[in-house]
Amino acid sequence: MTSVEKRFPGRLPIRDGKVDMSHGSGGRASAQLIEELFLRHLDNDLLRRGDDSAQFGVPAGRMVMSTDCHVISPLFFPGGDIGALAVHGTLNDVAMSGATPLYLAAGFILEEGFPLADLERIVAGMAAAATAAGVPVVTGDTKVVEKGKGDGVFITTTGIGMVPPGVEIAGDRARPGDAILVSGTIGDHGVAIMSSRENLEFDTTITSDSAALHTLVAQVLGAAPDIHCLRDPTRGGLATTLNELARQSRVGMRIRESGIPVRGAVKSACELLGLDPLYVANEGKLVCICPAPQAAAALAAMRAHPLGGEAAVIGEVVEDPHHFVQMETTFGGQRIVDWLAGEQLPRIC
Amino acid sequence: MTSVEKRFPGRLPIRDGKVDMSHGSGGRASAQLIEELFLRHLDNDLLRRGDDSAQFGVPAGRMVMSTDCHVISPLFFPGGDIGALAVHGTLNDVAMSGATPLYLAAGFILEEGFPLADLERIVAGMAAAATAAGVPVVTGDTKVVEKGKGDGVFITTTGIGMVPPGVEIAGDRARPGDAILVSGTIGDHGVAIMSSRENLEFDTTITSDSAALHTLVAQVLGAAPDIHCLRDPTRGGLATTLNELARQSRVGMRIRESGIPVRGAVKSACELLGLDPLYVANEGKLVCICPAPQAAAALAAMRAHPLGGEAAVIGEVVEDPHHFVQMETTFGGQRIVDWLAGEQLPRIC
Amino acid sequence: MKYIEEFREQGLARNIAANIAAEVDPGREYRLMEFCGGHTHAIFRYGVQDLMPGNVGFIHGPGCPVCVLPMARIDLAIRLLREENVILCIYADLLRVPASGRQSLMKVKAEGADVRMVYSTQDALKIARENPGREVVFFAIGFETTTPPTAVAIRQARAENLGNFSVFCNHVLTPAAMTGLLDAPRAAGEEPVQIDGFLGPSHVSSIIGSRPYEFVPERYGKPVVIAGFEPLDVMQATLMLIRQLNEGRCEVENEYTRVVSREGNRKACDLVEQVFEVREQFEWRGLGHIAHSALRIRPEYADLDAERRFAALADADALIAADNKACECPSILRGAKKPVDCKLFGNGCTPETPMGSCMVSSEGACAAYWSYGRFRQDAQAASA
Amino acid sequence: MKYIEEFREQGLARNIAANIAAEVDPGREYRLMEFCGGHTHAIFRYGVQDLMPGNVGFIHGPGCPVCVLPMARIDLAIRLLREENVILCIYADLLRVPASGRQSLMKVKAEGADVRMVYSTQDALKIARENPGREVVFFAIGFETTTPPTAVAIRQARAENLGNFSVFCNHVLTPAAMTGLLDAPRAAGEEPVQIDGFLGPSHVSSIIGSRPYEFVPERYGKPVVIAGFEPLDVMQATLMLIRQLNEGRCEVENEYTRVVSREGNRKACDLVEQVFEVREQFEWRGLGHIAHSALRIRPEYADLDAERRFAALADADALIAADNKACECPSILRGAKKPVDCKLFGNGCTPETPMGSCMVSSEGACAAYWSYGRFRQDAQAASA
Amino acid sequence: MCLAIPGEILSIDSDADTAVVAVGEVSKSVSLALVGEVAVGDYVLVHVGYALERLDPAEAEKTLALFAEMGGQAEAAP
Amino acid sequence: MCLAIPGEILSIDSDADTAVVAVGEVSKSVSLALVGEVAVGDYVLVHVGYALERLDPAEAEKTLALFAEMGGQAEAAP
Ligand code: SF4
Ligand code: SF4
Ligand SMILES: [Mg+2]
Ligand SMILES: [Mg+2]
Ligand SMILES: [Mg+2]
Ligand SMILES: [Mg+2]
Ligand SMILES: [Mg+2]
Ligand SMILES: [Mg+2]
Ligand SMILES: [Mg+2]
Ligand SMILES: [Mg+2]
Ligand SMILES: [Mg+2]
Ligand SMILES: [Mg+2]
């Protein structure tokens, strides 16, 4: 039966329009926003159905599920935007279990007054990241909060994936003697974000490392199937991730500062602001802990991947009832690499 | 090996403390918040592992996934809170495909300054709802935004579930001749929320209908396996849901106002505020569309369930190139029940 | 709900409909204007038209304060927000009313203007008390029904010495609008609208009584029946008008006797009288400038009058804003056209994207027609 | 990075360490106070202590402006936020400093106070320009290094006529602190702290030069070597102190000649002189009230002085806040105790939950000890 | 225009000049500033948080009786 | 205290009295209000957005040379 329904009275004013409360009301304005902005970019068979959930077939096996809220400022930064980041952040958490990511869900909380043009850039960024990763956004939700009760856009993504048989990766599996690897330079994302913050503005060529790591993980698992831990050192940086893993596995760690890859520009920016690259966020790097005999194979596999060219072995797991992460400094001394206290903020002293 | 590590220097000050930026930093303050507040209430084997994802076995079959952002005000209302609502809202979207929900993920966006005591009430509410529904929260994330960039708490939940073989439910399956049922009284949630909003305050015995509907769905599917559509009439109310389904299925609908169950107090509150119960939100009701011959069985199954005692057949699907939802009024006239324009707000005229 | 549900009872509706059907003269048309949006709403919401004989037609009048508010007044409120950084308290009905340049209070709010929705003038006072460092302006709209609560708030602010509160007054007077309406076609050089009689204001009359309409039969020769807003009230008043017309009577009758007296509410009228005075003239959307058709705040309360207080409103009277040319609201408000006669109806103009004020208020003729009546139009088109 | 990485080079460190090892007199102790938190940080961050012979020990001095700021000054800032509703601009270092009643600027910010973190005084001026309707106060802290940028901002505000900007001045003077430190034990009736010599301020001296420390060898008979903040600077200066002590010399030497002269930066000092004057006395955490140890804004700039501008700060000088009694910060800042001597260290007091200011700044002795040195304590405990 | 609704006075607070009014199964506090003497049990018309005017029950009965007058009864039968 | 870092002047804006200073691979605009004459290529110590003082390259060389003096060389060999 042909439809004579006129769906929407006019086109969504993406060029100069703003998000208003009606876009979150669940009524026709919501439907139009979804159809003319979200669906246009993220389009796929499952999302297009327009049901309140997505439906797909899964094989029997071990599934992983992960969720992350993205609340960054600024929303656009050198090397990415919150849309792409929301895809990478969650895909990586799924991948850190060794899983192949399958599908993503995305929830948007929009602040009244947010420019539709910016929203479109963000959704386009998300779509490009999802397409590049081969993992579609199959279901979503959009809410609008009053001006002053949000901050432009918050995006919560949830991902699911399947773990290949035989893979057993968890934060509590680090064992004394294991090797500790990172997949590349640390601190790039955090420095890129800070370089574009108002008041801090400095010039640098650093761009965020925001990237989806699941193909890197697959390649490493192919070469070194008995990996014990994988984790992406996001908020709180490498230092926090190592402390988390040490605590979960009830071990200590010893790393060598000289072995940790840090870009010159990241070092420079950290000197300027009084920060420590060990605590600066990454969005396209992983920490890998594996039995020492597999370290070389894992390292080679990482280096063979476009996202792992600067991978390095940075230390080893040790027994330690304090679960300390200790570091041999480039200077030859020893220090503790503790949890981050509070936020990393530019200091005067 | 015994651990001598002292995890946290003191206990989280839940009674009189407030959320601050360090709780979102990913450092030890974040870890303490998760351990002493979130984990204490939501505890289960998968969540306790503390990895960035949860891992579990799934059978082969059809899976559904759904996500919802919850941004309500007030956070506590007669009959519930945002924590319980975030569980019900997403479980219901999963259940509306006919699926048995399996697991939930929860992302919290907290505003700096939010009382930890309130957060605990909310997490307890979420835990109670998840336990009652038999669906655990297995993974999560917490971020903190600066004061004035959030609104207390936003919660995004994502749920997955498995669809039993043979069940085919989707928004585009309504066919002319199908019967339209609702599982109970409409408008309870929205009126309960409004009754506790500052400036509107009125007294009523109405409490939110917030509830998980998956057992009701299972019971109805047992009695009437060929259900075409299920949807929970949340934001925008029954009117919006019927319009959505009419549009998706490219049909029209005819309903009878006299057949729609509405509590007296909801009618009263709507008269007082100039609202229409058809557009007021529900959080524990569903619309069911099924072939007319199965309507009686579906209705009986609903009425036999504690959440469906006031279920009713309210109309039927018709051919209509305009996809109009038309209603025969209690007065004997005909009217269109259109999409909601903007928000439902108390009016003076 | 007592005094509500009895007045919506289907059996009684059929009875009144039968009475009307029995009494109408099949040889003539009955063109009745329901003055108020409340009537319009009841007619569409309950499908009253369906119960009427074919020769009884309703013409939707200008009795909706949102619909008749000229665009310039919204423009002024936006100016107040932008230039004076005030907290503007509004009834939610105003939020989506179109202003010049595709603006609305909703849009400027989305851009950061501090617009607060209130349910009552008491809420506006509360906001003023809670924000001593900010100027709080109440955007007062409404007919005689809604004016007394504004008067109470102004007197209360004075008594409390609430120095940061003021009122942007847009209260208008219904009897003057009836004059404007009956004179307008002549003034505009149009064909006079054929109106055989009026369903008179319901809640307005609870305040001012029925006496102020007596000039309508006297001067213009049109009968008036004050009618409640429940569907049975509308039907019974329709019957009463038909009877007047059939019997050749022409007077003000009162169907809504349970609330409306000839004298009205003296206490409320006195309060209004103390605080407000009649403006020389005021613009009504669709009806143009009508003499003595609106209220302003008396000089004794000048400090509470936003028009005197803020530079942004200094030339308030002079500001003219041009409505969308294709919008037929003016003719519709005069009863000269129907919503479907407007090219924009459903074609750019819908309740989500209103281009004229008649599409905003759920009591506006266009919105009522859109939300409740469209299928009739299509049915007609289909059968044509 | 030129002039940075060369001064952290491991080979050179081993060389200096060898020189020290070769030159120390094994028959004596060398108790050297590094005055600045910058030195403390370098010692812990790079593990300099590991490269020292057992009889060379560092005593951590009070040279961290966050650590020596008395709690009352944070209490005053909180009062300013709560009572005067100002925008308070701070360097992020201040955010977590404990105030009375378990408060901190971070906590009052979480409760809604408008605290903005700035990187530079220029950012504070910008905030004042962008918020003409609000009072914007810059919470100025720091030693002589950080004072000139505040002076620039005050002069700029005056030149721009920025009427809503003011400064809450907490700038302090390092030479006075050295006096206080050397006099304090006597004043407190304690055993005098055994200090054999000082690593003198680095960046402070870039402004004031090395001359202001000459009273230390002259009056107190302790050698001073001005030392840069890179680890090799600290080591070389340590060697220079050891040599003075071995040779019986007692003078001010300068290791940091690439930046520090005897005279300092005249232009910066003149600017400071124009805007500030010396206070009669000022409280230092740990050192008590020290005469002529801090700056206040000159009367010529009274309008830009938050202490004169806001009633909430009227009794600023009189306010005394009692530190947590168990906190050993005072003794640690005087070099009389080590962080591990404090019962609260790691036992309620950590960088996440600081109970004293020495745990807040990453240059504070307790924080440095916690973040970089704890394993040593445990190693010692294990071997004991 | 002028959404107003009849409600029954449940209680009166003379000091505040307000009353709690029941509209069906909900109740709300409204201002009495615009009406003269009212008593518990009276019905008043409520608009934007104010009682506008008393409702006269006897007149309401009369009006309902008018609706029921069966002038056109022949055609009204179902 | 007093986090300050040497950077090289890349360019000078005399009107604004600011300079763009490179610290390793990043650069930032800083105020020159506190220093006298400076030239492109000079190194200055940067603190809270201000150039505090010039750095003397010759003195830096001398200091590095001091570090390298091999008084205790016997024990320093690995
Ligand atoms: S449909 Fe819209 S544009 Fe046309 S008359 Fe009505 S309000 Fe005006
Ligand atoms: S450990 Fe904490 S309480 Fe103890 S001296 Fe240090 S800062 Fe004070
Ligand atoms: Mg995650
Ligand atoms: Mg993540
Ligand atoms: Mg992760
Ligand atoms: Mg949803
Ligand atoms: Mg904001
Ligand atoms: Mg959903
Ligand atoms: Mg939902
Ligand atoms: Mg749903
Ligand atoms: Mg996470
Ligand atoms: Mg808020």
Side-chain angles (χ1 to χ4, degrees), chain A residues 2 36 79 83 137 165 168 196 231 254 263-264 266 278 288 300 310 342:
Chain A
T2 33
E36 297 186 7
V137 176
E168 274 299 342
S196 46
R231 190 156 296 171
R254 278 183 196 276
R263 282 188 209 285
V266 169
L278 292 172
C288 169
E310 286 161 285

Side-chain angles (χ1 to χ4, degrees), chain A residues 154-172:
Chain A
F154 301 143
I155 307 179
T156 301
T157 43
T158 307
I160 55 172
M162 298 299 293
V163 187
V167 171
E168 274 299 342
I169 293 171
D172 61 1

Side-chain angles (χ1 to χ4, degrees), chain A residues 111 148 150-151, chain B residues 148:
Chain A
E111 185 184 7
D151 194 22

Side-chain angles (χ1 to χ4, degrees), chain A residues 1 7 49 51-52 54-56 58 61-63 65-66 69 141-143 158 231 235 247-248 320, chain B residues 1 7 24 49 51-52 54-56 58 61-63 65-66 69 141 143 158 231 247-248 320:
Chain A
M1 180 162 148
R7 311 266 331 232
R49 296 192 64 82
D51 286 330
D52 281 354
Q55 208 172 120
F56 42 79
V58 292
R62 270 180 310 143
M63 175 171 275
M65 181 178 198
S66 185
C69 308
D141 190 39
T142 305
K143 294 280 165 30
T158 307
R231 190 156 296 171
R235 267 190 304 184
R247 168 187 285 182
Q248 272 185 275
D320 178 355
Chain B
M1 182 163 145
R7 311 264 333 232
R49 297 192 62 83
D51 288 329
D52 281 355
Q55 207 172 119
F56 42 78
V58 292
R62 271 181 307 143
M63 175 171 275
M65 181 179 197
S66 185
C69 307
D141 189 40
K143 294 281 166 29
T158 308
R231 190 155 295 173
R247 168 188 286 182
Q248 273 184 276
D320 178 356

Side-chain angles (χ1 to χ4, degrees), chain C residues 15 19 121 203 229 258 363, chain E residues 1-2 50 56 59 67 72:
Chain C
N15 187 57
N19 288 343
T121 56
H203 294 143
F229 283 159
R258 61 192 185 277
E363 304 211 327
Chain E
M1 81 111 351
C2 314
Y50 289 78
D56 183 332
E59 287 294 335
F67 296 168

Side-chain angles (χ1 to χ4, degrees), chain A residues 11-14 17-34 36-38 108 110-116 119 141-145, chain B residues 235 340-343, chain C residues 96 106-107 110 352-353:
Chain A
R11 282 189 66 80
L12 192 68
I14 290 182
K18 297 208 158 53
V19 170
D20 64 46
M21 297 307 293
S22 70
H23 291 118
S25 65
R28 196 145 34 189
S30 302
Q32 183 173 24
L33 182 73
I34 289 166
E36 297 186 7
L37 199 153
F38 285 99
F108 285 75
L110 309 177
E111 185 184 7
E112 183 187 25
F114 190 69
L116 289 172
L119 182 59
D141 190 39
T142 305
K143 294 280 165 30
V144 177
V145 295
Chain B
R235 267 188 304 186
L340 176 63
E343 283 186 295
Chain C
R96 300 160 50 82
M106 183 166 74
K107 286 188 186 158
E352 284 105 0
T353 55

